[in-house]
Amino acid sequence: MPEQPPSKHVRLSDEADLPGPLPTPRIPYAELHCRTNFSFLEGASHPDELVNRAAKLGYAALAVTDRNSLAGVVRAHGAAKEAGLKLVIGTAITPLDSPPMLLWVMNRAGYGRLSRLLTQGCRSALKGDGRLTFDDVARHSDNLLVGVLINRDTEASRSGTREAISRLSACREVFGDRCYAVTELSRTGRDLRWLAHCRHLASQAHVPLIAANDVHYHIPQRRALHDVLTAIRHGCTVADLGDRLFPNGERHLKSPAEMLDLFADTPEIVSRTVEIADRCTFSLDELRYDYPVELSPPGRTPLEHLTDLTWSGARDRYPPGVPDKVRHLIEHELALIAELRYEAYFLTVWDLVRFARGRDILCQGRGSAANSAVCYCLGITSVNPEQVDVLFERFISKDRGEAPDIDVDFEHERREEVLQYIYEKYGRDRAGMTAEVITYRERSAIRDVGKALGLSVDRVDVLAKTMDHHPARDEDRLTSRLSEGGLDPHSRLTRQLVWLVGQLLGFPRHLSQHVGGMVMTNGPLCELVPIENAAMPGRTVIQWDKDDLDTLGILKVDCLSLGMLTAIRKCIDLIHEAGDGRHAKLTLATVPSEDPAVYEMASRADTIGVFQIESRAQMSMLPRLKPKEFYDLVIEVAIVRPGPIQGKMVHPYLRRRQGKEPVEYPSEAIRSVLQKTLGVPIFQEQAMRLAVVAAGFTPGEADQLRRAMGAFRRRGIIEAFREKLINGMLERGYAREFAERVYQQICGFGEYGFPESHAASFALLVYVSAWLKCHHPAAFCAALLNSQPMGFYAPAQLVADAKKHGVEVRAIDVNSSDWDCTLEPPAIGVSPVLRLGFRLVRGLARKYVDQIVTARAEGSFHAFSEFVRRTGLRAAALKKLSSADVFGSLFMDRQTTLWRALPERGPLTLFDEVDRDEPPVSLPALTPLHEVLADYSTAGLTLRQHPVSFLRSLLDSFKITPAVELGSMLNDRKIRVAGIVLLRQRPSTANGITFVTLEDETGMVNLIVRRAVWERYRKIARRAIALIAHGRLQRESDIIHVLVNRLEDLSDRLSELTTKSRDFH
Amino acid sequence: MCLWFPEWALQRQNTSRPADRSQSLVVYAPGGGGKMRVIACSSGARERGVLPGMLLAEAQSLWPASARGVVRFELHDPFADRQALRDLAVWCQQFSPLVGLDTADTPDCLLLDATGVGDEEEFAENAVDALERRGCRVMSALADTIGAAWGVARYGMLKRPATGGSRVWIVPFGKQVEVLRPLPVEALRLAEGIVSTLHELNVFRVDQLLALPRSGLVSRFGVELLSCIDRAFGALPEMLKPERIVEPLEATWDFEYPIADGRLLAEVIEHLLDWLLAKMVLDYEGVQRLVCTLRPVHHEPISFLVELLRPTALKRNLMELVRLKLERLKLPAEVEALTVRVAVVAPLEFHQDEMFGGGEMDGGENAARELVERLSNRLGEKSVLRPCRQPEAQPEFAYSYEPWMNAPSFPSSAAPRLTDLFRPTLLKNRPVPILVSTVLDGSPRQMHWREQHPLVKQSWGPERIETGWWRGDDIRRDYYVVEIENGERFWVFRNLVDQSWFLHGVFG
């Protein structure tokens, strides 16, 4: 029997002060009206909190009845299975023409009905809303139970009462004996009179009455949070809510005894709830998934088909013959796939990849199951199993009941084609987009709670900003962040804010569309899960996210988009076009492997533009790690992540790699986990495995631990895990110090670790892009420019880097440039020349460029007036072109063409005369610096001098060192540097340190700005576009930083420079 | 002559509150997305790191919470800025009969006609001196044309020739072209779009602009650019639109000899009212607020205010209220003069009389309104209150009193939502602690209060109220309606936090 999936949420319960397990109730009770926080901004408890509390109170069953939604049921289902509580699936709807009602599912058929009904309601309404009539409900009533909620207003008048009775009777006529009336007492005064009224209505309509409690949260302590949620929903403050608030906190899960006390005179309406729960026998486990049948040709089973495809693919991959190692792997994997019945899944992914290949769309698979020889042979991945040690079982384990996971990355500009293919092949009623549950994070929680407590909009803004990129992680840090934002840490307001934010974190806020998860079914999708409208018009999304699908074992494929694939494909196309056509087009798999020149280049950190390893952190790691082979790239990709950095794994690994520290293992069990990475956990699964082999965690517990680390850390839950881990390790004979270190490492991996399989797929793209940069720098630069925006660097840096590598770059010109950057044959030599394209000109519409290119097909332009006549462009477009200085081949500078472009011309015939009549003008010439600044402001880059070079004599007089000279200077020397700010980055792992990169005409300088210095020069540090930095040189194996102690603004000197630095702080 | 007040929004704040000049000042205005942004700040604030365009809250966070005395944050009020500049224009009429504002959307210049002032330098110096004594920071220039004076005042100071200490640049007759040539093109009062296009053409100075062919300029920038040039150089005339002094609705009476007789005072006020109302009636306007100021001999003037719920043009109504006020007024001495000023004017509302009856209800409402007006004027606005229901669960906050004069309409009779709530007719101002003994289910059995120990004959409840945590302490109470043996009913609650009992109301 497969192990139960781990619970997705681990939270410190607020129940510490509540009575422990309660005695078996006198009368069993099932709560049948209960909202989770998937009734967004209405429910104030997570599904698992409600389930666990209900189990603890000894409920006979719990129904989850979210408003128009089944979004929370899977999480409740998982928790209920663990807690051994019976779960009833249901929903609460309010038809337009009848009182609100609860619907409960009796069996699989009823579930399909309900799902279909909700789909209809959600599809015909705005996002997140439902729109149904009583007739709609009646049409879908089979196999469902209904509980009609009696409206308080009906009590006020005789006619209201009559109306309520007739509504109730109408419902009974549709549902027959499956119809109930629901009464709820919330101690809001005159409860007994209200109960009598309900009993009167029910008996008049001949409908049995049951009790419920309209549960909105699991324990009374959530009342304040619920008030806040209500305020957020109404967009006002809690104080302004008035009677939109519940007057008390009675809508929590009450013990059966308490319910019986409330309905003391009528115990039968309490006990009747169990009768309903008993009639509902459905469990979500019944939603066994049927794979689409059309995956294999008629007459062949999917497994046979997959086996054929794999072996024929293997023959293509290894023309000289399949190596033994690979052959064994394939046989082994196919057997495992057959055993777990995953063949349809692999076929589905294969089908998508085949389609993409047919359209010449570059793609690559990654994810747990992707790291297999089968995937390599099917063409899903390009990581040769000969090169990388693939261990399929590690990812697809027989014990874990999880669905296999393959993500496929497609070129970002063309992924839509693949999605359309899926919809076409399976039809819109059988394919759907997975939801993504958007949850409250520090920033959004502060924002919403702050507003609900009456803080002003701009105060809330400032508070939210202090959360930017620095998750607070625990309550103490949250408090200190808030006091940074100007709140008194001891005030009641701050304490309330911290408390409420802590509870709200992780609450679902709304459903969004997952970036690419697609679900395909054999039967109609809407009978599996309700489908609703997505925010994007014409898009639909199912109500479950990928974790839900995982829990139920439902197939999904992630079709993601990746900018680098676009760039690689464009680069390969450019090389192919520029070549003589003799060579076959390159593919990811045919790029020559293990080229020493590529590793040599990477070791120099000469990696601007290369996938992943172009970031500053990666670049400073490369010279230390000095990758020599493919697996080193896998490690490089995985090691520069917040996880390993926080877990302090980087330095031990480097020391061991450089032979400065012996590689040793405390035990054989640990050797088996960490051997590939020199005894240091670098991949996420290694950290989790450590908890298993060293501390005796179950895989499920290890996963819970990881998730607990990732979420907002409540004191208590972390302590409990820590104790368990450390005690477990001590019991197994490990040293305490080692145990503490492992704990630290696991902490680091909480949210930011990288699994090995992902790292391997990414590493291939790293290698391929590095190879292209190394051997085809012009094409590589052009492809990157044509795929913007992507990566870390702006076009200016990419072009500067290409020039540094000997690429000749030519300016944008009306006689030569296309929309995209192109390659031109060189005047001398063989290396192609990069011609910049019009796409770099800011704000220039593509249609104008098309007009130019079309007109140019008849021959080049010789004069401005001729250009205007042939292209038919109007003043606005001409102005843009003039400012961008693209008339170089006509020997006209930007002011002159702008002057000529300005008059708005009438009919074309008049135009020549206008131009001829004009006296020639002599406009003041631009200074070289102004030309450079104008280049920056129109295209974001210049082929002239670097702007800082104009200041060089001034900078020399300030004794400022150019970037290129830093390499020859002594460590710890006092130094001054200056340049344009390229980026500011404050990683959450860096303890408040901000990394700033400056660029002068000779190269880049990396600055380290400590928090105190940053605060002292805050104004300059945050806003200046060019800086002078004073500090000390720091050098560690070829990596040079300047530790800053003083900053000066250089912006005024370059005030008009509008190049945008990329801010990440 | 052009007088330019740099950063007028700041200056206006400073001149209006001279005592706070030492404070840093930040002026902000609503920007996009409902967020407040800084639009101007004093040099002190700038040193602190404030920049125009910054979020207000960000600017506020630059000062510690304890430093509120050294910095002031003011909401930008363009209307008040313009009004203050107008007032200043009127004040400047002592120098020149014609004073106008510049034509920008947010004007910060005054234009003075200097025709025939005699010694121009003396005239200019006098004006600047007087303004600086008033606390204004002013840059000024005097020239043949408005355009030239405007441009030189704003942009000329850097290019200014050394002229023996004079603070005003007086452009000699006919020399405006010469003076303007080296200035930036902005000095010609051009629209922003034109300036930025000229900059793109690398034309930054007036002389560079003048070097371009006029015909080419027209086809590219329209005639507006040429008119700006021509107006500045005097080739086109430009009129100054003078500010006029608006006459206040005010009338004053000087007594030939001081009097103390109330009736006489009332008669004079009535007379002045006649005169004022006659002026207003043409515009169908009525009085909503009236200020009467009496000047007793050798004493500070005394003012009183008459305020109405709806504007009126009826002298009878007004006089009735005036008399009520006069009766209560204590005069320290005989009055030598009195002034009546209409402080708030509002258009009159006309109600058509219904043809058949029906007006009675309206009459009732009018009568009530008159009563409220009379009482409020007599007893003070804050003395005539009315209760309002508040949608709050906590009984103490479920109602409030507000001044009747604040609310122009009568309370609507819309039914409150919680119709079926048991609420006592008399709520104690503050819950009174009592002792209660209870039966097993928690409901009260006997009350102990003021040495009495009534047994509870019947009780209803509990009604649980848990609310108000955001106001202060979390309120958690179980309310019961209890009836004691003699039939009296009370509203009591148990505080769920500490199980203590309180009496909170009595049913009538």
Side-chain angles (χ1 to χ4, degrees), chain B residues 120-131:
Chain B
E120 289 179 341
E121 190 162 335
E122 193 189 318
F123 157 75
E125 285 289 325
N126 280 344
V128 171
D129 267 347
L131 283 166

Side-chain angles (χ1 to χ4, degrees), chain A residues 757-907:
Chain A
S757 53
H758 278 233
S761 293
F762 273 180
L764 183 75
L765 298 185
V766 170
Y767 179 79
V768 169
S769 54
W771 188 88
L772 292 170
K773 178 183 166 71
C774 184
H775 295 286
H776 300 276
F780 185 65
C781 183
L784 287 177
L785 293 175
N786 291 343
S787 311
Q788 291 291 314
M790 62 167 285
F792 268 76
Y793 297 94
Q797 280 86 53
L798 296 173
V799 169
D801 184 64
K803 281 166 84 175
K804 223 164 73 188
H805 287 79
V807 175
E808 185 188 341
V809 185
R810 292 181 184 157
I812 310 169
D813 193 285
V814 286
N815 271 321
S816 312
S817 289
D818 289 346
W819 172 254
D820 280 331
C821 302
T822 48
L823 295 184
E824 290 179 0
I828 39 166
V830 287
S831 332
V833 172
L834 170 59
R835 171 68 73 176
L836 299 181
F838 284 108
R839 66 181 303 141
L840 291 170
V841 180
R842 286 181 189 153
L844 180 64
R846 177 154 195 172
K847 61 178 184 204
Y848 298 138
V849 178
D850 291 343
Q851 271 169 275
I852 296 171
V853 173
T854 315
R856 200 170 65 201
E858 298 156 21
S860 10
F861 308 106
H862 298 99
F864 185 77
S865 50
E866 178 208 352
F867 172 81
V868 177
R869 194 183 63 241
R870 280 170 57 193
T871 57
L873 291 172
R874 307 298 291 266
L878 293 174
K879 248 183 101 170
K880 269 263 173 292
L881 291 168
S882 306
S883 319
D885 199 18
V886 297
F887 294 96
S889 59
L890 305 181
F891 304 103
M892 289 176 81
D893 60 23
R894 47 167 48 105
Q895 313 92 277
T896 316
T897 45
L898 182 61
W899 176 259
R900 304 277 299 269
L902 276 177
E904 188 56 67
R905 292 172 167 84

Side-chain angles (χ1 to χ4, degrees), chain A residues 19 27 123 142 152 217 273 317 367 387 404 502 527 536 547 557 585 677 699 705 763 772 803 808 903 961 1021 1041:
Chain A
I27 286 195
R123 291 295 308 277
D142 289 351
R152 276 245 147 168
Y217 32 89
T273 56
R317 285 289 199 198
Q387 270 178 39
E527 292 193 356
M536 206 191 294
D547 289 345
V557 182
K585 225 176 182 179
T677 53
L705 167 61
L772 292 170
K803 281 166 84 175
E808 185 188 341
T961 314
H1041 290 286

Side-chain angles (χ1 to χ4, degrees), chain A residues 879 895 898-899 902 923-924, chain B residues 185-186 188 190-205 208-209 212 217 221 225:
Chain A
K879 248 183 101 170
Q895 313 92 277
L898 182 61
W899 176 259
L902 276 177
L923 290 155
Chain B
V185 287
E186 289 93 324
L188 293 174
L190 304 176
E192 238 173 78
I194 292 182
V195 169
S196 65
T197 309
L198 287 173
H199 284 177
E200 278 184 66
L201 288 167
N202 204 28
V203 171
F204 285 88
R205 288 196 318 271
Q208 291 171 331
L209 176 62
L212 299 174
L217 289 177
F221 298 99
L225 173 62

Side-chain angles (χ1 to χ4, degrees), chain A residues 187 190 223 227 238 242-243 247-250 458 461-462 492 496 883 895 899 902 918 924-926 1022, chain B residues 35-36 49 51 57-58 200-202 213 220 391-392 417 420 422 464 466-467 469-472 474 476:
Chain A
R187 294 196 200 274
R190 302 199 174 182
R223 168 165 51 93
D227 290 347
V238 175
D243 53 13
N248 59 34
E250 290 295 288
D458 27 352
D461 268 353
V462 170
R492 186 171 53 85
Q496 284 181 343
S883 319
Q895 313 92 277
W899 176 259
L902 276 177
E918 282 236 325
L926 290 173
R1022 289 180 52 176
Chain B
K35 291 171 191 167
M36 292 294 179
L51 284 172
E58 199 179 334
E200 278 184 66
L201 288 167
N202 204 28
R220 284 164 179 87
E392 285 282 347
R417 210 172 71 99
D420 59 344
F422 255 156
R464 185 162 294 175
E466 296 171 303
T467 192
W469 53 269
W470 59 91
R471 272 191 288 257
D474 194 13
R476 295 181 57 217

Side-chain angles (χ1 to χ4, degrees), chain B residues 401-421:
Chain B
Y401 291 108
E402 58 178 31
W404 204 312
M405 292 293 282
N406 280 359
S409 65
F410 274 70
S412 68
S413 52
R417 210 172 71 99
L418 305 165
T419 43
D420 59 344
L421 286 180

Side-chain angles (χ1 to χ4, degrees), chain A residues 306-307 310-311 314 318 322-338 346 369-378 381 383-396 676:
Chain A
L306 179 71
T307 309
T310 306
W311 287 114
Y318 302 99
V322 183
D324 276 350
K325 179 188 171 193
V326 177
R327 176 177 303 278
H328 289 310
L329 275 174
I330 294 175
E331 282 164 0
H332 178 70
E333 288 173 11
L334 283 174
L336 203 60
I337 289 169
F346 282 82
N371 238 24
S372 59
V374 169
C375 278
Y376 181 68
C377 295
L378 291 176
T381 61
V383 182
N384 189 341
E386 259 192 317
Q387 270 178 39
V388 179
D389 203 8
V390 289
L391 192 53
F392 197 45
E393 273 133 318
R394 188 180 301 160
F395 308 117
I396 292 196
K676 329 170 62 160

Side-chain angles (χ1 to χ4, degrees), chain A residues 1009-1026:
Chain A
V1009 187
R1010 292 213 172 112
R1011 184 190 285 266
V1013 178
W1014 180 271
E1015 288 303 325
R1016 198 170 334 133
Y1017 299 101
R1018 185 184 162 104
K1019 190 174 132 195
I1020 304 171
R1022 289 180 52 176
R1023 294 180 190 272
I1025 54 170

